[in-house]
PDB file of all heavy atoms in Angstrom:
ATOM      1  N   MET A   1      -1.209 -40.257  24.553  1.00  0.00           N
ATOM      2  CA  MET A   1      -0.787 -39.260  23.582  1.00  0.00           C
ATOM      3  C   MET A   1      -1.446 -39.552  22.260  1.00  0.00           C
ATOM      4  O   MET A   1      -1.482 -40.687  21.830  1.00  0.00           O
ATOM      5  CB  MET A   1       0.736 -39.235  23.467  1.00  0.00           C
ATOM      6  CG  MET A   1       1.169 -38.047  22.631  1.00  0.00           C
ATOM      7  SD  MET A   1       2.952 -38.063  22.226  1.00  0.00           S
ATOM      8  CE  MET A   1       3.733 -37.722  23.745  1.00  0.00           C
ATOM      9  N   THR A   2      -1.888 -38.495  21.534  1.00  0.00           N
ATOM     10  CA  THR A   2      -2.572 -38.742  20.286  1.00  0.00           C
ATOM     11  C   THR A   2      -1.555 -38.548  19.112  1.00  0.00           C
ATOM     12  O   THR A   2      -0.525 -37.943  19.330  1.00  0.00           O
ATOM     13  CB  THR A   2      -3.683 -37.777  20.051  1.00  0.00           C
ATOM     14  OG1 THR A   2      -3.159 -36.432  19.878  1.00  0.00           O
ATOM     15  CG2 THR A   2      -4.697 -37.763  21.190  1.00  0.00           C
ATOM     16  N   ALA A   3      -1.921 -39.009  17.983  1.00  0.00           N
ATOM     17  CA  ALA A   3      -1.044 -38.944  16.796  1.00  0.00           C
ATOM     18  C   ALA A   3      -1.268 -37.681  16.075  1.00  0.00           C
ATOM     19  O   ALA A   3      -0.591 -37.293  15.108  1.00  0.00           O
ATOM     20  CB  ALA A   3      -1.349 -40.076  15.863  1.00  0.00           C
ATOM     21  N   PHE A   4      -2.275 -36.843  16.577  1.00  0.00           N
ATOM     22  CA  PHE A   4      -2.522 -35.546  15.873  1.00  0.00           C
ATOM     23  C   PHE A   4      -1.837 -34.468  16.511  1.00  0.00           C
ATOM     24  O   PHE A   4      -1.771 -34.349  17.768  1.00  0.00           O
ATOM     25  CB  PHE A   4      -4.020 -35.264  15.829  1.00  0.00           C
ATOM     26  CG  PHE A   4      -4.799 -36.309  15.116  1.00  0.00           C
ATOM     27  CD1 PHE A   4      -5.490 -37.339  15.823  1.00  0.00           C
ATOM     28  CD2 PHE A   4      -4.866 -36.279  13.775  1.00  0.00           C
ATOM     29  CE1 PHE A   4      -6.273 -38.232  15.082  1.00  0.00           C
ATOM     30  CE2 PHE A   4      -5.539 -37.265  13.074  1.00  0.00           C
ATOM     31  CZ  PHE A   4      -6.284 -38.214  13.697  1.00  0.00           C
ATOM     32  N   ALA A   5      -1.242 -33.544  15.724  1.00  0.00           N
ATOM     33  CA  ALA A   5      -0.501 -32.397  16.256  1.00  0.00           C
ATOM     34  C   ALA A   5      -1.574 -31.320  16.474  1.00  0.00           C
ATOM     35  O   ALA A   5      -2.538 -31.260  15.765  1.00  0.00           O
ATOM     36  CB  ALA A   5       0.542 -31.879  15.283  1.00  0.00           C
ATOM     37  N   ALA A   6      -1.250 -30.452  17.479  1.00  0.00           N
ATOM     38  CA  ALA A   6      -2.133 -29.365  17.728  1.00  0.00           C
ATOM     39  C   ALA A   6      -2.076 -28.407  16.559  1.00  0.00           C
ATOM     40  O   ALA A   6      -1.045 -28.151  15.946  1.00  0.00           O
ATOM     41  CB  ALA A   6      -1.790 -28.622  18.979  1.00  0.00           C
ATOM     42  N   ILE A   7      -3.259 -27.920  16.153  1.00  0.00           N
ATOM     43  CA  ILE A   7      -3.332 -26.959  15.042  1.00  0.00           C
ATOM     44  C   ILE A   7      -3.734 -25.615  15.544  1.00  0.00           C
ATOM     45  O   ILE A   7      -4.695 -25.453  16.231  1.00  0.00           O
ATOM     46  CB  ILE A   7      -4.408 -27.536  14.005  1.00  0.00           C
ATOM     47  CG1 ILE A   7      -4.004 -28.792  13.392  1.00  0.00           C
ATOM     48  CG2 ILE A   7      -4.568 -26.424  12.885  1.00  0.00           C
ATOM     49  CD1 ILE A   7      -5.046 -29.378  12.495  1.00  0.00           C
ATOM     50  N   ASP A   8      -2.947 -24.665  15.235  1.00  0.00           N
ATOM     51  CA  ASP A   8      -3.283 -23.209  15.504  1.00  0.00           C
ATOM     52  C   ASP A   8      -4.057 -22.684  14.315  1.00  0.00           C
ATOM     53  O   ASP A   8      -3.464 -22.293  13.292  1.00  0.00           O
ATOM     54  CB  ASP A   8      -1.978 -22.486  15.715  1.00  0.00           C
ATOM     55  CG  ASP A   8      -2.202 -20.993  16.125  1.00  0.00           C
ATOM     56  OD1 ASP A   8      -3.466 -20.592  16.059  1.00  0.00           O
ATOM     57  OD2 ASP A   8      -1.259 -20.278  16.440  1.00  0.00           O
ATOM     58  N   HIS A   9      -5.325 -22.625  14.418  1.00  0.00           N
ATOM     59  CA  HIS A   9      -6.180 -22.249  13.393  1.00  0.00           C
ATOM     60  C   HIS A   9      -5.955 -20.775  12.920  1.00  0.00           C
ATOM     61  O   HIS A   9      -6.172 -20.405  11.743  1.00  0.00           O
ATOM     62  CB  HIS A   9      -7.628 -22.498  13.703  1.00  0.00           C
ATOM     63  CG  HIS A   9      -8.003 -23.919  13.783  1.00  0.00           C
ATOM     64  ND1 HIS A   9      -8.104 -24.727  12.672  1.00  0.00           N
ATOM     65  CD2 HIS A   9      -8.209 -24.725  14.899  1.00  0.00           C
ATOM     66  CE1 HIS A   9      -8.389 -25.948  13.151  1.00  0.00           C
ATOM     67  NE2 HIS A   9      -8.469 -25.999  14.426  1.00  0.00           N
ATOM     68  N   HIS A  10      -5.537 -19.942  13.810  1.00  0.00           N
ATOM     69  CA  HIS A  10      -5.242 -18.520  13.534  1.00  0.00           C
ATOM     70  C   HIS A  10      -3.980 -18.431  12.635  1.00  0.00           C
ATOM     71  O   HIS A  10      -3.980 -17.655  11.700  1.00  0.00           O
ATOM     72  CB  HIS A  10      -5.143 -17.683  14.749  1.00  0.00           C
ATOM     73  CG  HIS A  10      -6.353 -17.666  15.583  1.00  0.00           C
ATOM     74  ND1 HIS A  10      -7.426 -16.920  15.142  1.00  0.00           N
ATOM     75  CD2 HIS A  10      -6.698 -18.257  16.704  1.00  0.00           C
ATOM     76  CE1 HIS A  10      -8.406 -17.090  16.037  1.00  0.00           C
ATOM     77  NE2 HIS A  10      -8.001 -17.860  16.952  1.00  0.00           N
ATOM     78  N   GLN A  11      -3.027 -19.188  12.840  1.00  0.00           N
ATOM     79  CA  GLN A  11      -1.823 -19.187  12.061  1.00  0.00           C
ATOM     80  C   GLN A  11      -2.129 -19.763  10.714  1.00  0.00           C
ATOM     81  O   GLN A  11      -1.601 -19.251   9.737  1.00  0.00           O
ATOM     82  CB  GLN A  11      -0.654 -19.975  12.757  1.00  0.00           C
ATOM     83  CG  GLN A  11      -0.023 -19.183  13.856  1.00  0.00           C
ATOM     84  CD  GLN A  11       0.813 -18.093  13.425  1.00  0.00           C
ATOM     85  OE1 GLN A  11       0.386 -17.219  12.682  1.00  0.00           O
ATOM     86  NE2 GLN A  11       2.071 -18.058  13.842  1.00  0.00           N
ATOM     87  N   SER A  12      -2.793 -20.884  10.590  1.00  0.00           N
ATOM     88  CA  SER A  12      -2.993 -21.503   9.343  1.00  0.00           C
ATOM     89  C   SER A  12      -3.944 -20.764   8.438  1.00  0.00           C
ATOM     90  O   SER A  12      -3.988 -20.986   7.217  1.00  0.00           O
ATOM     91  CB  SER A  12      -3.482 -22.983   9.529  1.00  0.00           C
ATOM     92  OG  SER A  12      -4.753 -22.961  10.213  1.00  0.00           O
ATOM     93  N   ALA A  13      -4.689 -19.860   9.022  1.00  0.00           N
ATOM     94  CA  ALA A  13      -5.632 -19.078   8.191  1.00  0.00           C
ATOM     95  C   ALA A  13      -5.112 -17.784   7.619  1.00  0.00           C
ATOM     96  O   ALA A  13      -5.764 -17.146   6.895  1.00  0.00           O
ATOM     97  CB  ALA A  13      -6.865 -18.739   9.105  1.00  0.00           C
ATOM     98  N   LYS A  14      -3.867 -17.436   7.925  1.00  0.00           N
ATOM     99  CA  LYS A  14      -3.259 -16.241   7.376  1.00  0.00           C
ATOM    100  C   LYS A  14      -3.038 -16.374   5.926  1.00  0.00           C
ATOM    101  O   LYS A  14      -2.394 -17.365   5.493  1.00  0.00           O
ATOM    102  CB  LYS A  14      -1.976 -15.953   8.156  1.00  0.00           C
ATOM    103  CG  LYS A  14      -2.226 -15.417   9.532  1.00  0.00           C
ATOM    104  CD  LYS A  14      -0.929 -14.926  10.105  1.00  0.00           C
ATOM    105  CE  LYS A  14      -1.161 -14.411  11.509  1.00  0.00           C
ATOM    106  NZ  LYS A  14       0.075 -14.003  12.120  1.00  0.00           N
ATOM    107  N   ALA A  15      -3.522 -15.366   5.180  1.00  0.00           N
ATOM    108  CA  ALA A  15      -3.242 -15.390   3.750  1.00  0.00           C
ATOM    109  C   ALA A  15      -1.855 -14.846   3.378  1.00  0.00           C
ATOM    110  O   ALA A  15      -1.319 -14.061   4.151  1.00  0.00           O
ATOM    111  CB  ALA A  15      -4.340 -14.489   3.088  1.00  0.00           C
ATOM    112  N   ASP A  16      -1.356 -15.217   2.321  1.00  0.00           N
ATOM    113  CA  ASP A  16      -0.099 -14.747   1.804  1.00  0.00           C
ATOM    114  C   ASP A  16      -0.251 -13.259   1.466  1.00  0.00           C
ATOM    115  O   ASP A  16      -1.166 -12.916   0.585  1.00  0.00           O
ATOM    116  CB  ASP A  16       0.330 -15.581   0.551  1.00  0.00           C
ATOM    117  CG  ASP A  16       1.547 -15.030  -0.105  1.00  0.00           C
ATOM    118  OD1 ASP A  16       2.275 -14.231   0.477  1.00  0.00           O
ATOM    119  OD2 ASP A  16       1.820 -15.420  -1.266  1.00  0.00           O
ATOM    120  N   PRO A  17       0.510 -12.355   2.016  1.00  0.00           N
ATOM    121  CA  PRO A  17       0.296 -10.912   1.723  1.00  0.00           C
ATOM    122  C   PRO A  17       0.436 -10.572   0.199  1.00  0.00           C
ATOM    123  O   PRO A  17      -0.270  -9.633  -0.245  1.00  0.00           O
ATOM    124  CB  PRO A  17       1.427 -10.219   2.488  1.00  0.00           C
ATOM    125  CG  PRO A  17       2.006 -11.282   3.466  1.00  0.00           C
ATOM    126  CD  PRO A  17       1.600 -12.582   2.902  1.00  0.00           C
ATOM    127  N   LEU A  18       1.260 -11.265  -0.460  1.00  0.00           N
ATOM    128  CA  LEU A  18       1.382 -10.985  -1.890  1.00  0.00           C
ATOM    129  C   LEU A  18       0.107 -11.364  -2.706  1.00  0.00           C
ATOM    130  O   LEU A  18      -0.288 -10.676  -3.590  1.00  0.00           O
ATOM    131  CB  LEU A  18       2.650 -11.684  -2.452  1.00  0.00           C
ATOM    132  CG  LEU A  18       3.258 -11.009  -3.690  1.00  0.00           C
ATOM    133  CD1 LEU A  18       3.636  -9.606  -3.480  1.00  0.00           C
ATOM    134  CD2 LEU A  18       4.527 -11.889  -4.158  1.00  0.00           C
ATOM    135  N   GLU A  19      -0.479 -12.457  -2.300  1.00  0.00           N
ATOM    136  CA  GLU A  19      -1.708 -12.916  -2.957  1.00  0.00           C
ATOM    137  C   GLU A  19      -2.872 -11.993  -2.583  1.00  0.00           C
ATOM    138  O   GLU A  19      -3.695 -11.712  -3.437  1.00  0.00           O
ATOM    139  CB  GLU A  19      -2.066 -14.358  -2.550  1.00  0.00           C
ATOM    140  CG  GLU A  19      -1.090 -15.291  -3.186  1.00  0.00           C
ATOM    141  CD  GLU A  19      -0.974 -15.237  -4.660  1.00  0.00           C
ATOM    142  OE1 GLU A  19      -2.010 -15.147  -5.363  1.00  0.00           O
ATOM    143  OE2 GLU A  19       0.159 -15.197  -5.170  1.00  0.00           O
ATOM    144  N   VAL A  20      -2.836 -11.470  -1.339  1.00  0.00           N
ATOM    145  CA  VAL A  20      -3.848 -10.417  -1.000  1.00  0.00           C
ATOM    146  C   VAL A  20      -3.725  -9.204  -1.850  1.00  0.00           C
ATOM    147  O   VAL A  20      -4.704  -8.682  -2.405  1.00  0.00           O
ATOM    148  CB  VAL A  20      -3.733 -10.142   0.505  1.00  0.00           C
ATOM    149  CG1 VAL A  20      -4.675  -8.929   0.839  1.00  0.00           C
ATOM    150  CG2 VAL A  20      -4.148 -11.337   1.357  1.00  0.00           C
ATOM    151  N   PHE A  21      -2.490  -8.736  -2.043  1.00  0.00           N
ATOM    152  CA  PHE A  21      -2.194  -7.632  -2.857  1.00  0.00           C
ATOM    153  C   PHE A  21      -2.645  -7.860  -4.312  1.00  0.00           C
ATOM    154  O   PHE A  21      -3.225  -6.989  -5.015  1.00  0.00           O
ATOM    155  CB  PHE A  21      -0.720  -7.268  -2.798  1.00  0.00           C
ATOM    156  CG  PHE A  21      -0.405  -5.992  -3.586  1.00  0.00           C
ATOM    157  CD1 PHE A  21      -0.767  -4.750  -3.146  1.00  0.00           C
ATOM    158  CD2 PHE A  21       0.190  -6.106  -4.851  1.00  0.00           C
ATOM    159  CE1 PHE A  21      -0.455  -3.557  -3.898  1.00  0.00           C
ATOM    160  CE2 PHE A  21       0.429  -5.002  -5.662  1.00  0.00           C
ATOM    161  CZ  PHE A  21       0.113  -3.711  -5.139  1.00  0.00           C
ATOM    162  N   ARG A  22      -2.339  -9.104  -4.794  1.00  0.00           N
ATOM    163  CA  ARG A  22      -2.735  -9.380  -6.150  1.00  0.00           C
ATOM    164  C   ARG A  22      -4.290  -9.299  -6.373  1.00  0.00           C
ATOM    165  O   ARG A  22      -4.784  -8.802  -7.285  1.00  0.00           O
ATOM    166  CB  ARG A  22      -2.281 -10.819  -6.470  1.00  0.00           C
ATOM    167  CG  ARG A  22      -2.421 -11.244  -7.948  1.00  0.00           C
ATOM    168  CD  ARG A  22      -1.867 -12.666  -8.207  1.00  0.00           C
ATOM    169  NE  ARG A  22      -0.584 -12.922  -7.590  1.00  0.00           N
ATOM    170  CZ  ARG A  22       0.553 -12.680  -8.156  1.00  0.00           C
ATOM    171  NH1 ARG A  22       0.639 -12.041  -9.305  1.00  0.00           N
ATOM    172  NH2 ARG A  22       1.670 -12.967  -7.588  1.00  0.00           N
ATOM    173  N   ALA A  23      -4.993  -9.822  -5.384  1.00  0.00           N
ATOM    174  CA  ALA A  23      -6.468  -9.745  -5.392  1.00  0.00           C
ATOM    175  C   ALA A  23      -6.999  -8.274  -5.381  1.00  0.00           C
ATOM    176  O   ALA A  23      -7.929  -7.957  -6.079  1.00  0.00           O
ATOM    177  CB  ALA A  23      -7.070 -10.598  -4.225  1.00  0.00           C
ATOM    178  N   ARG A  24      -6.310  -7.498  -4.509  1.00  0.00           N
ATOM    179  CA  ARG A  24      -6.658  -6.078  -4.485  1.00  0.00           C
ATOM    180  C   ARG A  24      -6.451  -5.428  -5.785  1.00  0.00           C
ATOM    181  O   ARG A  24      -7.239  -4.588  -6.265  1.00  0.00           O
ATOM    182  CB  ARG A  24      -5.860  -5.330  -3.380  1.00  0.00           C
ATOM    183  CG  ARG A  24      -6.354  -5.343  -2.114  1.00  0.00           C
ATOM    184  CD  ARG A  24      -5.441  -4.607  -1.107  1.00  0.00           C
ATOM    185  NE  ARG A  24      -5.831  -3.186  -1.009  1.00  0.00           N
ATOM    186  CZ  ARG A  24      -5.321  -2.303  -0.227  1.00  0.00           C
ATOM    187  NH1 ARG A  24      -4.224  -2.673   0.474  1.00  0.00           N
ATOM    188  NH2 ARG A  24      -5.765  -1.136  -0.162  1.00  0.00           N
ATOM    189  N   ALA A  25      -5.268  -5.681  -6.423  1.00  0.00           N
ATOM    190  CA  ALA A  25      -4.988  -5.130  -7.734  1.00  0.00           C
ATOM    191  C   ALA A  25      -6.061  -5.491  -8.781  1.00  0.00           C
ATOM    192  O   ALA A  25      -6.380  -4.681  -9.581  1.00  0.00           O
ATOM    193  CB  ALA A  25      -3.574  -5.458  -8.191  1.00  0.00           C
ATOM    194  N   GLU A  26      -6.382  -6.721  -8.760  1.00  0.00           N
ATOM    195  CA  GLU A  26      -7.416  -7.246  -9.696  1.00  0.00           C
ATOM    196  C   GLU A  26      -8.698  -6.548  -9.505  1.00  0.00           C
ATOM    197  O   GLU A  26      -9.304  -6.139 -10.477  1.00  0.00           O
ATOM    198  CB  GLU A  26      -7.506  -8.740  -9.492  1.00  0.00           C
ATOM    199  CG  GLU A  26      -8.396  -9.446 -10.573  1.00  0.00           C
ATOM    200  CD  GLU A  26      -7.701  -9.583 -11.949  1.00  0.00           C
ATOM    201  OE1 GLU A  26      -6.466  -9.582 -11.941  1.00  0.00           O
ATOM    202  OE2 GLU A  26      -8.432  -9.718 -12.885  1.00  0.00           O
ATOM    203  N   ALA A  27      -9.087  -6.421  -8.248  1.00  0.00           N
ATOM    204  CA  ALA A  27     -10.447  -5.772  -7.938  1.00  0.00           C
ATOM    205  C   ALA A  27     -10.362  -4.233  -8.382  1.00  0.00           C
ATOM    206  O   ALA A  27     -11.355  -3.746  -8.958  1.00  0.00           O
ATOM    207  CB  ALA A  27     -10.765  -5.916  -6.554  1.00  0.00           C
ATOM    208  N   ARG A  28      -9.264  -3.615  -8.062  1.00  0.00           N
ATOM    209  CA  ARG A  28      -9.144  -2.178  -8.489  1.00  0.00           C
ATOM    210  C   ARG A  28      -9.146  -2.014  -9.951  1.00  0.00           C
ATOM    211  O   ARG A  28      -9.670  -1.105 -10.437  1.00  0.00           O
ATOM    212  CB  ARG A  28      -7.890  -1.592  -7.814  1.00  0.00           C
ATOM    213  CG  ARG A  28      -7.874  -1.582  -6.307  1.00  0.00           C
ATOM    214  CD  ARG A  28      -8.830  -0.633  -5.767  1.00  0.00           C
ATOM    215  NE  ARG A  28      -8.880  -0.607  -4.319  1.00  0.00           N
ATOM    216  CZ  ARG A  28      -8.758   0.486  -3.550  1.00  0.00           C
ATOM    217  NH1 ARG A  28      -8.506   1.634  -4.156  1.00  0.00           N
ATOM    218  NH2 ARG A  28      -8.752   0.353  -2.239  1.00  0.00           N
ATOM    219  N   ALA A  29      -8.458  -2.900 -10.692  1.00  0.00           N
ATOM    220  CA  ALA A  29      -8.441  -2.896 -12.142  1.00  0.00           C
ATOM    221  C   ALA A  29      -9.819  -2.942 -12.725  1.00  0.00           C
ATOM    222  O   ALA A  29     -10.185  -2.264 -13.696  1.00  0.00           O
ATOM    223  CB  ALA A  29      -7.531  -3.898 -12.676  1.00  0.00           C
ATOM    224  N   GLN A  30     -10.715  -3.752 -12.121  1.00  0.00           N
ATOM    225  CA  GLN A  30     -12.036  -3.890 -12.559  1.00  0.00           C
ATOM    226  C   GLN A  30     -12.804  -2.628 -12.386  1.00  0.00           C
ATOM    227  O   GLN A  30     -13.603  -2.200 -13.231  1.00  0.00           O
ATOM    228  CB  GLN A  30     -12.766  -5.019 -11.867  1.00  0.00           C
ATOM    229  CG  GLN A  30     -12.232  -6.417 -12.272  1.00  0.00           C
ATOM    230  CD  GLN A  30     -12.930  -7.544 -11.496  1.00  0.00           C
ATOM    231  OE1 GLN A  30     -14.151  -7.421 -11.300  1.00  0.00           O
ATOM    232  NE2 GLN A  30     -12.203  -8.499 -11.078  1.00  0.00           N
ATOM    233  N   LEU A  31     -12.529  -1.994 -11.243  1.00  0.00           N
ATOM    234  CA  LEU A  31     -13.229  -0.681 -10.934  1.00  0.00           C
ATOM    235  C   LEU A  31     -12.766   0.326 -12.009  1.00  0.00           C
ATOM    236  O   LEU A  31     -13.568   1.160 -12.470  1.00  0.00           O
ATOM    237  CB  LEU A  31     -12.898  -0.170  -9.517  1.00  0.00           C
ATOM    238  CG  LEU A  31     -13.518  -1.055  -8.463  1.00  0.00           C
ATOM    239  CD1 LEU A  31     -12.993  -0.569  -7.087  1.00  0.00           C
ATOM    240  CD2 LEU A  31     -15.084  -0.948  -8.476  1.00  0.00           C
ATOM    241  N   VAL A  32     -11.521   0.403 -12.346  1.00  0.00           N
ATOM    242  CA  VAL A  32     -11.055   1.356 -13.357  1.00  0.00           C
ATOM    243  C   VAL A  32     -11.648   1.048 -14.722  1.00  0.00           C
ATOM    244  O   VAL A  32     -12.148   1.864 -15.463  1.00  0.00           O
ATOM    245  CB  VAL A  32      -9.524   1.307 -13.492  1.00  0.00           C
ATOM    246  CG1 VAL A  32      -8.972   2.129 -14.648  1.00  0.00           C
ATOM    247  CG2 VAL A  32      -8.831   1.880 -12.128  1.00  0.00           C
ATOM    248  N   ALA A  33     -11.691  -0.247 -15.041  1.00  0.00           N
ATOM    249  CA  ALA A  33     -12.250  -0.693 -16.354  1.00  0.00           C
ATOM    250  C   ALA A  33     -13.721  -0.302 -16.564  1.00  0.00           C
ATOM    251  O   ALA A  33     -14.118  -0.042 -17.622  1.00  0.00           O
ATOM    252  CB  ALA A  33     -12.099  -2.177 -16.527  1.00  0.00           C
ATOM    253  N   HIS A  34     -14.431  -0.270 -15.377  1.00  0.00           N
ATOM    254  CA  HIS A  34     -15.799   0.118 -15.400  1.00  0.00           C
ATOM    255  C   HIS A  34     -16.072   1.609 -15.249  1.00  0.00           C
ATOM    256  O   HIS A  34     -17.194   2.033 -15.006  1.00  0.00           O
ATOM    257  CB  HIS A  34     -16.596  -0.767 -14.478  1.00  0.00           C
ATOM    258  CG  HIS A  34     -16.727  -2.167 -14.862  1.00  0.00           C
ATOM    259  ND1 HIS A  34     -15.816  -3.130 -14.508  1.00  0.00           N
ATOM    260  CD2 HIS A  34     -17.641  -2.788 -15.647  1.00  0.00           C
ATOM    261  CE1 HIS A  34     -16.156  -4.253 -15.033  1.00  0.00           C
ATOM    262  NE2 HIS A  34     -17.205  -4.130 -15.723  1.00  0.00           N
ATOM    263  N   GLY A  35     -14.981   2.316 -15.172  1.00  0.00           N
ATOM    264  CA  GLY A  35     -15.125   3.868 -14.994  1.00  0.00           C
ATOM    265  C   GLY A  35     -15.488   4.294 -13.615  1.00  0.00           C
ATOM    266  O   GLY A  35     -15.905   5.479 -13.448  1.00  0.00           O
ATOM    267  N   LEU A  36     -15.267   3.484 -12.594  1.00  0.00           N
ATOM    268  CA  LEU A  36     -15.628   3.888 -11.314  1.00  0.00           C
ATOM    269  C   LEU A  36     -14.437   4.509 -10.479  1.00  0.00           C
ATOM    270  O   LEU A  36     -14.671   5.061  -9.480  1.00  0.00           O
ATOM    271  CB  LEU A  36     -16.140   2.659 -10.518  1.00  0.00           C
ATOM    272  CG  LEU A  36     -17.413   2.070 -11.164  1.00  0.00           C
ATOM    273  CD1 LEU A  36     -17.805   0.787 -10.408  1.00  0.00           C
ATOM    274  CD2 LEU A  36     -18.569   3.060 -11.101  1.00  0.00           C
ATOM    275  N   HIS A  37     -13.230   4.256 -10.991  1.00  0.00           N
ATOM    276  CA  HIS A  37     -12.033   4.868 -10.384  1.00  0.00           C
ATOM    277  C   HIS A  37     -11.087   5.325 -11.446  1.00  0.00           C
ATOM    278  O   HIS A  37     -11.175   4.796 -12.647  1.00  0.00           O
ATOM    279  CB  HIS A  37     -11.232   3.786  -9.564  1.00  0.00           C
ATOM    280  CG  HIS A  37     -11.816   3.540  -8.231  1.00  0.00           C
ATOM    281  ND1 HIS A  37     -11.202   3.783  -7.080  1.00  0.00           N
ATOM    282  CD2 HIS A  37     -13.062   3.035  -7.852  1.00  0.00           C
ATOM    283  CE1 HIS A  37     -11.915   3.409  -6.037  1.00  0.00           C
ATOM    284  NE2 HIS A  37     -13.074   2.873  -6.528  1.00  0.00           N
ATOM    285  N   SER A  38     -10.290   6.365 -11.180  1.00  0.00           N
ATOM    286  CA  SER A  38      -9.328   6.748 -12.208  1.00  0.00           C
ATOM    287  C   SER A  38      -8.082   5.863 -12.105  1.00  0.00           C
ATOM    288  O   SER A  38      -7.756   5.343 -11.052  1.00  0.00           O
ATOM    289  CB  SER A  38      -8.934   8.234 -12.004  1.00  0.00           C
ATOM    290  OG  SER A  38      -8.051   8.359 -10.914  1.00  0.00           O
ATOM    291  N   LEU A  39      -7.472   5.642 -13.277  1.00  0.00           N
ATOM    292  CA  LEU A  39      -6.254   4.813 -13.313  1.00  0.00           C
ATOM    293  C   LEU A  39      -5.180   5.342 -12.388  1.00  0.00           C
ATOM    294  O   LEU A  39      -4.577   4.591 -11.653  1.00  0.00           O
ATOM    295  CB  LEU A  39      -5.777   4.703 -14.729  1.00  0.00           C
ATOM    296  CG  LEU A  39      -4.514   3.798 -14.947  1.00  0.00           C
ATOM    297  CD1 LEU A  39      -4.747   2.375 -14.423  1.00  0.00           C
ATOM    298  CD2 LEU A  39      -4.132   3.894 -16.440  1.00  0.00           C
ATOM    299  N   GLN A  40      -4.889   6.633 -12.540  1.00  0.00           N
ATOM    300  CA  GLN A  40      -3.743   7.174 -11.813  1.00  0.00           C
ATOM    301  C   GLN A  40      -3.964   7.098 -10.295  1.00  0.00           C
ATOM    302  O   GLN A  40      -3.114   6.679  -9.545  1.00  0.00           O
ATOM    303  CB  GLN A  40      -3.465   8.664 -12.171  1.00  0.00           C
ATOM    304  CG  GLN A  40      -2.208   9.277 -11.623  1.00  0.00           C
ATOM    305  CD  GLN A  40      -0.953   8.436 -12.075  1.00  0.00           C
ATOM    306  OE1 GLN A  40      -0.753   8.229 -13.248  1.00  0.00           O
ATOM    307  NE2 GLN A  40      -0.175   8.019 -11.146  1.00  0.00           N
ATOM    308  N   ASP A  41      -5.090   7.441  -9.768  1.00  0.00           N
ATOM    309  CA  ASP A  41      -5.459   7.355  -8.365  1.00  0.00           C
ATOM    310  C   ASP A  41      -5.411   5.928  -7.910  1.00  0.00           C
ATOM    311  O   ASP A  41      -4.886   5.670  -6.765  1.00  0.00           O
ATOM    312  CB  ASP A  41      -6.794   7.947  -8.085  1.00  0.00           C
ATOM    313  CG  ASP A  41      -6.924   9.492  -8.183  1.00  0.00           C
ATOM    314  OD1 ASP A  41      -5.805  10.129  -8.160  1.00  0.00           O
ATOM    315  OD2 ASP A  41      -8.009   9.985  -8.283  1.00  0.00           O
ATOM    316  N   THR A  42      -5.839   5.036  -8.664  1.00  0.00           N
ATOM    317  CA  THR A  42      -5.787   3.549  -8.273  1.00  0.00           C
ATOM    318  C   THR A  42      -4.413   3.059  -8.176  1.00  0.00           C
ATOM    319  O   THR A  42      -4.045   2.386  -7.194  1.00  0.00           O
ATOM    320  CB  THR A  42      -6.661   2.801  -9.258  1.00  0.00           C
ATOM    321  OG1 THR A  42      -7.996   3.272  -9.304  1.00  0.00           O
ATOM    322  CG2 THR A  42      -6.652   1.319  -8.967  1.00  0.00           C
TER     323      THR A  42
END
């Protein structure tokens, strides 16, 4: 028996949904700031 636990790489690679949303909001804000999207639609 080994001292290492099995690692489920698919589970450990999942991003926090709130952090993903935060990144999306940041990217969209940049598009608005550069005049590529409207604020209300975004």
Side-chain angles (χ1 to χ4, degrees):
M1 188 187 291
T2 69
F4 297 103
I7 297 174
D8 182 352
H9 293 287
H10 295 287
Q11 283 289 54
S12 63
K14 287 186 179 178
D16 175 18
L18 205 55
E19 290 306 312
V20 171
F21 182 77
R22 189 180 313 277
R24 270 181 95 176
E26 187 75 22
R28 297 289 177 127
Q30 289 179 41
L31 292 172
V32 172
H34 289 92
L36 300 172
H37 282 243
S38 76
L39 177 61
Q40 189 61 52
D41 288 343
T42 299

